[in-house]
Amino acid sequence: MDELKIRILNHLPDTAKVIAVSIELIDDLPSSYLSLQKSCCERFYAEDYSECIEKSKPLLDYLWEKLNTGNWKDVNMTWREAYYLVSILKGSSQAILATDNRAEEKNTHSIADAIKTFDMGLLMGAPILNNVLTKLVQDVHTCLEKIEVSEKKSELTSRYIDNDKSVHNDANQLMNKKLKTDTEIYKVIEEEIKIKIDKNKEIKRVSCPSLEYFSATFKDNGTPVIITNAINHWPALSTRQWSLDYIRLKAGFRTVPIEIGSKYTEDNWTQKLMTINDFIDKFILGSQNQTGYLAQHQLFDQVPELRNDIVIPDYCCLGNSEDVDINAWFGPKGTISPLHHDPKHNFLVQVVGSKYIRLYSSTENSMLYPHDTFLLENTSQVDAENPDLVKFPLFNEALFSEAVLRPGEMLYMPPKYWHFIKSLHVSFSVSFWWE
Ligand SMILES: O=C(O)CCC(=O)C(=O)O
C-alpha cells in the first residue's frame, strides 16, 4: 500500500514549508512546546514515523488542555492551528505505518486510528495549509473502504460456498429495506403508530413552486410550507440512495459528535465523540436505552463525498446563497428536538424516514413560555408532547400547524418560527439555514 503513502506525501508541502508554518504558530505557545513541535515535523520528514507519533502525543495532550479550558469561542486560534498541524503529522504517520508491510510497528497502528486523529484535527483544530486534512482523511477513508469491501466480498463468498443463506437476513439488509424511500411504506407505518394529523391544521403542501410564487406567497409572508417534487434529482434520493450501508461506506470510520439523552433541555443530556459505525451499532441497530442523535452537525464539510449527494435548494438564491449553513440530523426513531426557534430561514429536507413536525408562529410567543436564560431563550419550557398545563396554562390555546414530513419533502420554516420535531423512524434530514 505504498500507494497511500505517496498520496499522503503528495498532499503535504515540503519540510521547509511545514516547519515555517510550525514556527509561525508562536503566539502563546512556550518555547519548549515549539522545539518539540519542530522536532516532530523533522521526524516526519525523516520518515521516522513512530518517533513522530511519540513526539505528537505530549503536544496534543498539552493543546487538548488548552482547547478545553474556558469558552470555546475564546480559545486562542494559534492553539487550534497547532492542534491541526500536529494532527496532520500524527495521522499521516499512523496511516503510513498501518499500510507499510515492511514496518515492524504495523500492527500497533490502524487506518481507523489515523482517521480518528484526522477527524479530531478537523473538529478541534483550525484549518491551515489549505485545509489539507479534508483531502488526507478522504484518501485514507477510501483506502479503508477498499479493504472493507474486499473483506466483505470474501466473507460473502465464503458464506455462499458454505451454502449459508442466512446472509440474506443480515441485520443491515433488513434495515436497508426499512430505509427505502417509498412514501407508501411510510404512510402505512404512520397509521400503525397512530399519527393523526388534523386536516384543518395540516401544513400546506405545494409541488415545486416557481421562485416567484414561493417568494411572494410564503417567504415574504412568513408562512411555512412543505415543498414536494423539488429534490427528486438529489443523488441521495435517486442514484446513490442513502442507506445505513452506504453511510457506513462513505463515513463509517469518521468521528462525529453525538448528542446523548432524550432532549437537549434535560439535565442528563450530554455529547460524546464516536465513529459513525459505533453510533449506528449502538444507537440505531443496538438496543441502547438512551437516545443518540447526530444533530446539527456540519457533516458535509467534514465528508465532501456525502456533500456530493445533496444539492442546495434553488430557493436559497433568494437570500445570500454563498452563506448557507448545511447541517445533518441523523438518528433512530424517537429523536426529539424540543420546541424552539432559530434566527434564519430554514429548509429542512427529509432524505430517509419521516418526522412529525409541529409549528407555531411567533404571534403565539406569550403562550409558549420561552426559558429566561440567555442560552435557552429560543426554547420553550413546555414539553410539547406532554404539556404541564398547571405550570403553563395557556399552552393549549396557542395555534399550531402540523404534518408528517416524508422522504423527498422539504419543509420551509421562516425565521423565528417555533418548531417541535420528532422522528418516526430511523431518519436522516438535512437542514439549510440561509439569510
Ligand atoms: O430535525 C430535527 O430534529 C430538528 C431540526 C431543526 O431544529 C432545524 O433544522 O432547525
Side-chain angles (χ1 to χ4, degrees), residues 199-224:
K199 288 285 161 214
N200 298 319
K201 293 186 175 144
E202 188 160 11
I203 303 168
K204 195 175 157 75
R205 282 182 159 78
V206 174
S207 174
C208 200
S210 67
L211 280 178
E212 292 73 20
Y213 183 74
F214 167 75
S215 182
T217 315
F218 302 104
K219 177 180 164 285
D220 294 349
N221 291 328
T223 306

Short mmCIF file of all heavy atoms in Angstrom, two decimals, residues 199-224:
data_model
loop_
_atom_site.label_atom_id
_atom_site.label_comp_id
_atom_site.label_asym_id
_atom_site.label_seq_id
_atom_site.Cartn_x
_atom_site.Cartn_y
_atom_site.Cartn_z
N LYS A 199 -56.55 17.56 9.70
CA LYS A 199 -56.52 18.13 8.34
C LYS A 199 -56.63 19.66 8.36
O LYS A 199 -56.06 20.35 7.52
CB LYS A 199 -57.65 17.55 7.48
CG LYS A 199 -57.41 16.11 7.10
CD LYS A 199 -56.34 16.00 6.01
CE LYS A 199 -55.77 14.59 5.94
NZ LYS A 199 -54.37 14.49 5.59
N ASN A 200 -57.37 20.19 9.36
CA ASN A 200 -57.53 21.66 9.42
C ASN A 200 -56.25 22.36 9.83
O ASN A 200 -56.11 23.56 9.65
CB ASN A 200 -58.61 22.05 10.45
CG ASN A 200 -59.93 21.47 10.04
OD1 ASN A 200 -60.27 21.49 8.85
ND2 ASN A 200 -60.66 20.92 11.01
N LYS A 201 -55.36 21.57 10.44
CA LYS A 201 -54.12 22.21 10.94
C LYS A 201 -52.93 21.82 10.08
O LYS A 201 -51.80 22.22 10.39
CB LYS A 201 -53.85 21.74 12.37
CG LYS A 201 -54.88 22.22 13.37
CD LYS A 201 -54.45 21.84 14.76
CE LYS A 201 -55.41 22.41 15.78
NZ LYS A 201 -55.62 21.53 16.90
N GLU A 202 -53.16 21.02 9.06
CA GLU A 202 -52.02 20.45 8.33
C GLU A 202 -51.25 21.54 7.56
O GLU A 202 -51.85 22.40 6.89
CB GLU A 202 -52.49 19.36 7.38
CG GLU A 202 -51.31 18.64 6.76
CD GLU A 202 -51.67 17.26 6.21
OE1 GLU A 202 -52.88 16.95 6.10
OE2 GLU A 202 -50.73 16.52 5.86
N ILE A 203 -49.93 21.46 7.63
CA ILE A 203 -49.08 22.42 6.90
C ILE A 203 -49.33 22.20 5.40
O ILE A 203 -49.36 21.05 4.93
CB ILE A 203 -47.59 22.20 7.23
CG1 ILE A 203 -47.35 22.32 8.74
CG2 ILE A 203 -46.71 23.19 6.46
CD1 ILE A 203 -45.98 21.82 9.20
N LYS A 204 -49.52 23.30 4.67
CA LYS A 204 -49.83 23.22 3.24
C LYS A 204 -48.67 22.58 2.48
O LYS A 204 -47.51 22.78 2.82
CB LYS A 204 -50.04 24.66 2.74
CG LYS A 204 -50.71 24.80 1.42
CD LYS A 204 -50.92 26.31 1.16
CE LYS A 204 -51.06 26.62 -0.29
NZ LYS A 204 -52.25 26.31 -0.94
N ARG A 205 -49.04 21.78 1.44
CA ARG A 205 -48.01 21.21 0.55
C ARG A 205 -48.16 21.84 -0.82
O ARG A 205 -49.28 22.01 -1.32
CB ARG A 205 -48.20 19.69 0.41
CG ARG A 205 -47.69 18.91 1.59
CD ARG A 205 -47.85 17.41 1.39
NE ARG A 205 -46.97 16.67 2.26
CZ ARG A 205 -47.17 16.45 3.56
NH1 ARG A 205 -48.26 16.90 4.16
NH2 ARG A 205 -46.29 15.76 4.27
N VAL A 206 -47.01 22.16 -1.44
CA VAL A 206 -47.04 22.73 -2.79
C VAL A 206 -46.00 21.99 -3.62
O VAL A 206 -44.88 21.76 -3.16
CB VAL A 206 -46.69 24.23 -2.74
CG1 VAL A 206 -46.56 24.80 -4.14
CG2 VAL A 206 -47.74 25.00 -1.99
N SER A 207 -46.41 21.62 -4.85
CA SER A 207 -45.47 20.88 -5.69
C SER A 207 -44.56 21.86 -6.44
O SER A 207 -45.04 22.69 -7.23
CB SER A 207 -46.27 20.02 -6.67
OG SER A 207 -45.37 19.40 -7.56
N CYS A 208 -43.29 21.76 -6.17
CA CYS A 208 -42.23 22.51 -6.86
C CYS A 208 -42.65 23.91 -7.35
O CYS A 208 -42.68 24.17 -8.57
CB CYS A 208 -41.73 21.66 -8.03
SG CYS A 208 -40.12 22.18 -8.58
N PRO A 209 -42.96 24.83 -6.45
CA PRO A 209 -43.39 26.16 -6.89
C PRO A 209 -42.26 26.92 -7.58
O PRO A 209 -41.09 26.63 -7.34
CB PRO A 209 -43.74 26.86 -5.57
CG PRO A 209 -42.92 26.16 -4.53
CD PRO A 209 -42.78 24.74 -4.98
N SER A 210 -42.62 27.90 -8.41
CA SER A 210 -41.59 28.74 -9.03
C SER A 210 -40.98 29.61 -7.93
O SER A 210 -41.58 29.80 -6.86
CB SER A 210 -42.22 29.64 -10.09
OG SER A 210 -43.08 30.56 -9.44
N LEU A 211 -39.80 30.15 -8.22
CA LEU A 211 -39.14 31.02 -7.24
C LEU A 211 -40.04 32.19 -6.88
O LEU A 211 -40.19 32.55 -5.71
CB LEU A 211 -37.85 31.59 -7.85
CG LEU A 211 -36.62 30.69 -7.86
CD1 LEU A 211 -35.46 31.40 -8.52
CD2 LEU A 211 -36.25 30.30 -6.43
N GLU A 212 -40.68 32.77 -7.91
CA GLU A 212 -41.52 33.96 -7.70
C GLU A 212 -42.70 33.61 -6.79
O GLU A 212 -43.01 34.33 -5.84
CB GLU A 212 -42.07 34.51 -9.03
CG GLU A 212 -41.04 35.10 -9.97
CD GLU A 212 -40.17 34.03 -10.65
OE1 GLU A 212 -40.60 32.85 -10.70
OE2 GLU A 212 -39.07 34.37 -11.11
N TYR A 213 -43.34 32.48 -7.11
CA TYR A 213 -44.52 32.09 -6.34
C TYR A 213 -44.13 31.79 -4.88
O TYR A 213 -44.77 32.24 -3.93
CB TYR A 213 -45.19 30.86 -6.98
CG TYR A 213 -46.46 30.44 -6.28
CD1 TYR A 213 -47.63 31.18 -6.43
CD2 TYR A 213 -46.48 29.31 -5.46
CE1 TYR A 213 -48.80 30.81 -5.76
CE2 TYR A 213 -47.64 28.93 -4.79
CZ TYR A 213 -48.80 29.69 -4.95
OH TYR A 213 -49.93 29.32 -4.29
N PHE A 214 -43.02 31.05 -4.73
CA PHE A 214 -42.58 30.72 -3.37
C PHE A 214 -42.27 32.01 -2.59
O PHE A 214 -42.70 32.18 -1.44
CB PHE A 214 -41.33 29.82 -3.41
CG PHE A 214 -40.65 29.72 -2.08
CD1 PHE A 214 -41.21 28.94 -1.05
CD2 PHE A 214 -39.49 30.44 -1.79
CE1 PHE A 214 -40.62 28.88 0.20
CE2 PHE A 214 -38.90 30.38 -0.54
CZ PHE A 214 -39.47 29.60 0.46
N SER A 215 -41.57 32.92 -3.26
CA SER A 215 -41.14 34.14 -2.59
C SER A 215 -42.35 34.98 -2.16
O SER A 215 -42.47 35.40 -1.01
CB SER A 215 -40.23 34.91 -3.54
OG SER A 215 -39.77 36.05 -2.93
N ALA A 216 -43.28 35.19 -3.11
CA ALA A 216 -44.41 36.08 -2.83
C ALA A 216 -45.39 35.44 -1.85
O ALA A 216 -45.94 36.11 -0.97
CB ALA A 216 -45.12 36.43 -4.14
N THR A 217 -45.61 34.13 -1.98
CA THR A 217 -46.68 33.50 -1.20
C THR A 217 -46.21 33.04 0.18
O THR A 217 -46.97 33.06 1.14
CB THR A 217 -47.25 32.28 -1.98
OG1 THR A 217 -47.42 32.69 -3.32
CG2 THR A 217 -48.56 31.79 -1.40
N PHE A 218 -44.96 32.60 0.28
CA PHE A 218 -44.52 32.00 1.54
C PHE A 218 -43.41 32.82 2.21
O PHE A 218 -43.58 33.28 3.33
CB PHE A 218 -44.09 30.54 1.31
CG PHE A 218 -45.21 29.73 0.73
CD1 PHE A 218 -45.21 29.39 -0.62
CD2 PHE A 218 -46.29 29.36 1.51
CE1 PHE A 218 -46.28 28.69 -1.17
CE2 PHE A 218 -47.36 28.66 0.96
CZ PHE A 218 -47.35 28.32 -0.38
N LYS A 219 -42.32 33.04 1.49
CA LYS A 219 -41.17 33.72 2.15
C LYS A 219 -41.58 35.12 2.61
O LYS A 219 -41.41 35.47 3.78
CB LYS A 219 -40.00 33.79 1.17
CG LYS A 219 -38.81 34.54 1.75
CD LYS A 219 -37.67 34.58 0.76
CE LYS A 219 -36.66 35.62 1.15
NZ LYS A 219 -37.09 37.00 0.90
N ASP A 220 -42.16 35.91 1.71
CA ASP A 220 -42.45 37.30 2.07
C ASP A 220 -43.55 37.41 3.12
O ASP A 220 -43.63 38.40 3.84
CB ASP A 220 -42.83 38.12 0.82
CG ASP A 220 -41.64 38.23 -0.13
OD1 ASP A 220 -40.52 37.85 0.29
OD2 ASP A 220 -41.82 38.65 -1.29
N ASN A 221 -44.41 36.40 3.19
CA ASN A 221 -45.49 36.43 4.19
C ASN A 221 -45.13 35.72 5.49
O ASN A 221 -45.96 35.61 6.38
CB ASN A 221 -46.75 35.74 3.64
CG ASN A 221 -47.37 36.56 2.54
OD1 ASN A 221 -47.27 37.79 2.58
ND2 ASN A 221 -47.97 35.89 1.58
N GLY A 222 -43.93 35.16 5.54
CA GLY A 222 -43.55 34.41 6.74
C GLY A 222 -44.45 33.21 6.99
O GLY A 222 -44.83 32.92 8.12
N THR A 223 -44.79 32.48 5.90
CA THR A 223 -45.69 31.32 6.02
C THR A 223 -44.93 30.03 5.74
O THR A 223 -44.30 29.92 4.68
CB THR A 223 -46.84 31.43 4.99
OG1 THR A 223 -47.45 32.70 5.17
CG2 THR A 223 -47.86 30.33 5.16
N PRO A 224 -44.99 29.06 6.65
CA PRO A 224 -44.31 27.79 6.37
C PRO A 224 -45.03 26.99 5.28
O PRO A 224 -46.24 27.17 5.08
CB PRO A 224 -44.38 27.04 7.70
CG PRO A 224 -45.39 27.73 8.52
CD PRO A 224 -45.65 29.08 7.94
#
